Amino acid sequence: MLMRGIRLGKRIADRLPIFRATRRRKFGRITVELWRGAVLKRARNCTLSGDGRLDVGFRWPAYLADKTLVAVSDGGQLSVEGHFTIYTGSKVVVDQGAVLELGSGYLNSNSTISCFNSIKIGRDVMIAENVSIRDSDNHTIVNSNRPQDGAIVIGDHVWIGMNSIILKGVKIGPGAVIAAGSVVTRDVEAGTLVGGVPAKLLRSNIEWH
Ligand SMILES: CC(C)(COP(=O)(O)OP(=O)(O)OC[C@H]1O[C@@H](n2cnc3c(N)ncnc32)[C@H](O)[C@@H]1OP(=O)(O)O)[C@@H](O)C(=O)NCCC(=O)NCCS
């Protein structure tokens, strides 16, 4: 009798928003789970597409909830194909007219994706804490023939170590590993380990799990 009462109480509590760990929202076929402290800002003319699930502000029970932001500006496009988790304290910003494509995997705490043009993240991608991914310098060095912007493509099954920075125009091949604390300014071959500032090849033909 007591157990039935507890089970019934739990079922009722689950239906009351104040007791739920997340708020669930549907945008077409995408499901967005907003954890405590998470904010999803959508401009009126942005697009959310794909048929995946996006967890925003996820945290393990021992962690405190920090502010987590996903913002998509006017004309911006965010697509989610698989299950992608953005941990508490991270920030994902899609600027006006920019396109961010997420496959599956996670972006760990206090990381940032700043998408001003185009960023594509594949499937099964692990991005550690304090990582910055930014496809624009936002300023230009005078008399330089280098572009200020460049699309970033991160292939399937890539692991990006903590405190790394991925700069404009970089393509990271499938299965690659970026060592902690790297600044990646040039393309990374599939199945290689790179590291350092700027990141250089450390090992080839690697596998990781
Ligand atoms: C400094 C910066 C603008 C230069 O961009 P760029 O003119 O396209 O320069 P390149 O990428 O061609 O880099 C020139 C060389 O410096 C190296 N380099 C670039 N950034 C580096 C860094 N942070 N640390 C060490 N080396 C770096 C490159 O590997 C390259 O070396 P190489 O010729 O031996 O391959 C860019 O590297 C950068 O740091 N962008 C981020 C700017 C930023 O933080 N913007 C935020 C908004 S304010």
Side-chain angles (χ1 to χ4, degrees):
M1 189 66 184
L2 177 68
M3 285 309 287
R4 263 185 57 198
I6 291 171
R7 271 203 300 269
L8 186 65
K10 196 172 172 313
R11 238 185 294 150
I12 292 169
D14 280 347
R15 282 165 196 234
L16 296 172
I18 191 166
F19 290 113
R20 249 188 273 145
T22 64
R23 284 168 288 138
R24 176 170 297 182
R25 300 191 58 187
K26 283 289 262 184
F27 300 95
R29 300 200 311 274
I30 296 190
T31 304
V32 179
E33 296 278 352
L34 292 165
W35 291 67
R36 286 220 172 92
V39 174
L40 174 67
K41 276 179 76 177
R42 289 179 309 132
R44 207 173 285 160
N45 297 322
C46 76
T47 312
L48 265 63
S49 64
D51 48 17
R53 165 179 161 166
L54 185 65
D55 278 59
V56 183
F58 172 83
R59 68 189 165 94
W60 297 110
Y63 279 59
L64 292 173
D66 286 325
K67 281 254 180 276
T68 312
L69 172 71
V70 172
V72 189
S73 305
D74 242 356
Q77 295 176 44
L78 169 64
S79 70
V80 185
E81 294 305 329
H83 184 185
F84 196 90
T85 301
I86 297 168
Y87 280 60
T88 189
S90 287
K91 224 172 10 171
V92 173
V93 176
V94 184
D95 201 41
Q96 289 183 9
V99 181
L100 173 62
E101 296 170 74
L102 300 176
S104 64
Y106 62 78
L107 178 72
N108 214 322
S109 293
N110 304 315
S111 293
T112 307
I113 297 177
S114 306
C115 180
F116 293 90
N117 304 281
S118 165
I119 299 179
K120 181 173 181 174
I121 296 180
R123 289 189 172 256
D124 189 33
V125 172
M126 316 283 138
I127 304 170
E129 295 174 16
N130 280 314
V131 169
S132 298
I133 300 172
R134 187 186 193 99
D135 64 2
S136 176
D137 292 333
N138 296 112
H139 300 280
T140 305
I141 295 174
V142 177
N143 294 334
S144 159
N145 58 2
R146 290 277 297 160
Q148 174 180 297
D149 307 304
I152 293 177
V153 180
I154 298 174
D156 294 343
H157 192 55
V158 164
W159 175 20
I160 301 179
M162 58 190 170
N163 297 312
S164 293
I165 298 175
I166 313 298
L167 289 176
K168 50 137 203 265
V170 162
K171 316 243 171 324
I172 303 178
V177 175
I178 312 300
S182 302
V183 176
V184 185
T185 61
R186 296 288 181 261
D187 291 354
V188 175
E189 292 285 321
T192 61
L193 166 65
V194 301
V197 180
K200 302 281 182 210
L201 180 68
L202 300 177
R203 250 187 259 161
S204 297
N205 299 319
I206 60 150
E207 280 181 35
W208 70 272
H209 55 83

